[in-house]
Amino acid sequence: MRYAYYPGCSSHSTARDMHESAAAVANKLGIELVEIYGWSCCGATSAHQTDRVLAAALPSSNLLLARDMGLDTVVTCAACYNRMKVANREVKDSAEIRCMVADRVGKEYDGSVAVRHIIEILLEDVGLDKIKKALKKSLNGLKIACYYGCLLVRPNDVTGFDDAENPTSMDKLVNAMGGESLEWPYKVECCGGGLNLTRTDVAVRLSGSIIDMAARAGADCIAVACPMCQASLDLRQSDIKKETGLKADMPVVYLTQLLGLCLGIPLNELGLNRLMVSPANIIKQIC
Amino acid sequence: MKINGTRKSNLKQTVEELSGVRIDSCLKCMKCTSGCSVAKETKMHPSELIGLLKLGAGDEILKSDLVWMCLSCEICYGRCPMKINTASLIDALRKLAVERGTTTRKGNAPLFNKAFLGTVKQYGRSYDLQMIMHYKFGSGSLMQDTEKFPTMLRKGKMALLPPYGAKKTVVKRIFDTSPGGKGKIK
């Protein structure tokens, strides 16, 4: 199992823990992640809000680098995953966009490089059986609200990730690790990440409702696969508490961090010390 | 919202061409509005926006709050029985709003985008610290979130130094060949 790995900008900033835990888990399960040499930003939300061709050109230049490696691209960030999938669709569907992208990048790209999220690799390529065999510890019935957010599942005709309204990929992994994934209604609601800096008040209300719903469903923690969701729910939790009167702490961990713990990987290699809301209480129960 | 006069605007056609989204098939079923993540916060709703565009609304629609409050969460598109991608349509409205100078200062998303893409152009990758400083100085929100900064630095959630390692020549080429001329990010 060898892949071209696109870490994304947040892996060196707000989501180092996502990058660290994904790399450690991959290493343990025999997934070889070869970092794309010279990768650049996918453009994220700002590019598609600014210009449609720019939004397709930035991911395309990276996918061209991956094409030269002859490997599928693996992404850990849900936003990069989404932008790359959309770029693939744009250059495939429209000759006009394809030409304009080629003009800007300086090379023609046909949208042919497969883009996959690390969750898809874990489920489809490694498989639950192999993961179960590699486990050293169990989640011991921890109640976990799996939160998918927007960018993995929508638009589903483009990302093709699981089900648009009730995805279960992360739930399957959580259950395989001995946890109890919760049935709850806010799996694919939006955390408001796009307004985190510009309209913090709105972002806090949206994230607050997600934490509130997870708490009411009885969650011990929320599992995420997107650095924007993680920042909205974890980094902003102090603001959410002030605004909504939420009392108890709700740890927000990457699914790869939970998996890393169950695979017996040391805490510091999973970036768990970087979380704002301490996950100490849930770590205690994992043995 | 009042639609100006009797002159029919060509805004609908312009945004349809820019986004590649056609809106004539809208059934007015309101699934977009009932699912919309920010409908509780905005005066304008997605179904209303589509309806007004169809009725011939002009540039006044570029000032509606939904244009910059939309989170691109794509619930509207995901649930639309006619597969109308309202989120992409709103991206086109944003582009026009910036070009025609109708953006508002509150929640200055164009400034945020400019700050973000500015660092991408400069380093090939986004540089949060510079982007945030640019945005904060421009929007006058200097003191917001300052209490989080020391913890973020200590926990390695904010890089002090700019990113390195990207193929900057390709990124520079992409920006330089973008409309608006060399080096300009609108």
Side-chain angles (χ1 to χ4, degrees):
Chain A
M1 283 180 282
R2 200 157 181 263
Y3 306 91
Y5 175 48
Y6 179 81
C9 303
S10 61
S11 64
H12 295 297
S13 175
T14 51
R16 276 199 199 184
D17 33 13
M18 174 189 76
H19 167 68
E20 288 162 344
S21 59
V25 163
N27 188 32
K28 200 84 173 177
L29 292 171
I31 304 167
E32 196 183 339
L33 300 177
V34 189
E35 187 166 328
I36 298 173
Y37 181 74
W39 62 268
S40 52
C41 176
C42 73
T45 308
S46 291
H48 77 73
Q49 287 194 355
T50 303
D51 178 62
R52 192 176 167 194
V53 182
L54 176 70
L58 289 168
S60 293
S61 70
N62 287 293
L63 291 166
L64 276 164
L65 296 175
R67 189 179 69 180
D68 292 344
M69 294 164 76
L71 299 168
D72 283 4
T73 301
V74 168
V75 191
T76 41
C77 167
C80 304
Y81 172 79
N82 187 290
R83 293 324 306 165
M84 288 185 154
K85 288 253 178 169
V86 171
N88 268 348
R89 172 59 68 89
E90 289 271 68
V91 296
K92 263 187 207 163
D93 280 3
S94 159
E96 202 187 343
I97 300 264
R98 186 162 62 245
C99 286
M100 286 196 277
V101 166
D103 193 40
R104 295 204 194 171
V105 180
K107 233 183 196 181
E108 182 126 3
Y109 176 57
D110 59 0
S112 61
V113 176
V115 177
R116 303 176 68 200
H117 191 266
I118 189 83
I119 302 276
E120 292 175 308
I121 302 298
L122 289 170
L123 264 181
E124 293 161 14
D125 295 13
V126 182
L128 288 177
D129 289 340
K130 194 177 163 191
I131 290 174
K132 275 184 192 164
K133 275 180 203 148
L135 296 177
K136 301 269 192 304
K137 293 175 182 175
S138 163
L139 291 179
N140 277 322
L142 267 178
K143 291 188 172 64
I144 295 168
C146 293
Y147 176 58
Y148 298 77
C150 308
L151 296 159
L152 285 177
V153 296
R154 281 189 298 267
N156 208 265
D157 60 335
V158 176
T159 68
F161 185 95
D162 205 329
D163 185 89
E165 297 289 351
N166 187 18
T168 51
S169 302
M170 287 161 74
D171 298 72
K172 282 175 193 151
L173 286 159
V174 159
N175 292 333
M177 290 183 252
E180 184 189 336
S181 81
L182 297 172
E183 290 273 348
W184 69 306
Y186 279 16
K187 276 182 175 182
V188 295
E189 288 294 304
C190 179
C191 71
L195 294 172
N196 216 326
L197 268 185
T198 51
R199 284 299 304 270
T200 308
D201 55 333
V202 177
V204 162
R205 282 196 283 278
L206 287 168
S207 309
S209 69
I210 288 159
I211 293 187
D212 176 56
M213 184 57 83
R216 285 197 277 157
D220 295 313
C221 70
I222 297 177
V224 293
C226 168
M228 261 65 64
C229 299
Q230 206 278 340
S232 294
L233 301 178
D234 182 48
L235 198 54
R236 283 254 172 253
Q237 208 168 116
S238 53
D239 302 306
I240 292 168
K241 279 182 171 167
K242 265 182 243 159
E243 175 82 17
T244 64
L246 174 89
K247 294 219 168 50
D249 282 340
M250 177 65 74
V252 183
V253 295
Y254 288 103
L255 188 100
T256 41
Q257 290 180 313
L258 287 176
L259 182 54
L261 284 169
C262 292
L263 290 168
I265 298 168
L267 300 187
N268 58 346
E269 288 179 33
L270 297 169
L272 283 153
N273 52 328
R274 301 190 193 280
L275 301 177
M276 294 287 156
V277 176
S278 167
N281 280 340
I282 58 168
I283 293 173
K284 258 188 253 161
Q285 291 188 52
I286 300 171
C287 53
Chain B
M1 176 178 283
K2 198 179 152 205
I3 298 176
N4 286 343
T6 48
R7 182 181 54 85
K8 200 169 187 300
S9 149
N10 60 359
L11 186 67
K12 172 179 174 279
Q13 196 190 337
T14 311
V15 288
E16 283 191 334
E17 277 166 16
L18 271 174
S19 62
V21 177
R22 300 284 175 270
I23 61 173
D24 287 329
S25 62
C26 171
L27 301 170
K28 300 200 91 177
C29 70
M30 314 278 281
K31 283 183 97 171
C32 50
T33 296
S34 51
C36 178
S37 298
V38 288
K40 265 192 230 165
E41 309 276 351
T42 55
K43 289 194 193 90
M44 175 73 77
H45 293 158
S47 46
E48 196 184 355
L49 181 85
I50 302 273
L52 287 170
L53 276 172
K54 282 173 75 174
L55 283 170
D59 283 6
E60 66 273 16
I61 220 169
L62 300 176
K63 290 180 192 153
S64 66
D65 54 359
L66 184 63
V67 171
W68 292 106
M69 291 277 280
C70 165
L71 283 155
S72 308
C73 74
E74 308 219 30
I75 287 179
C76 50
Y77 176 42
R79 294 183 186 165
C80 176
M82 304 311 285
K83 293 272 155 257
I84 296 172
N85 193 336
T86 308
S88 289
L89 198 80
I90 290 176
D91 276 346
L93 290 173
R94 285 167 171 152
K95 189 177 162 67
L96 291 174
V98 172
E99 282 171 8
R100 297 176 184 178
T102 58
T103 54
T104 52
R105 196 179 147 83
K106 189 175 185 195
N108 200 331
L111 175 66
F112 174 84
N113 292 341
K114 197 175 164 182
F116 181 91
L117 293 175
T119 67
V120 176
K121 182 169 184 275
Q122 191 175 351
Y123 305 105
R125 294 176 190 169
S126 68
Y127 177 27
D128 288 349
L129 191 60
Q130 184 174 316
M131 179 265 287
I132 289 169
M133 291 313 285
H134 183 163
Y135 177 77
K136 279 176 170 291
F137 273 105
S139 62
S141 58
L142 266 182
M143 294 319 287
Q144 193 196 327
D145 295 329
T146 42
E147 82 287 355
K148 293 187 184 65
F149 192 65
T151 323
M152 287 183 77
L153 273 183
R154 185 166 49 80
K155 290 187 178 262
K157 285 249 167 193
M158 179 70 73
L160 269 180
L161 299 173
Y164 61 94
K167 280 197 171 145
K168 287 199 262 185
T169 45
V170 183
V171 180
K172 196 171 175 303
R173 188 197 153 100
I174 293 172
F175 279 102
D176 285 347
T177 51
S178 293
K182 207 170 176 177
K184 266 193 192 162
I185 301 162
K186 263 198 165 170

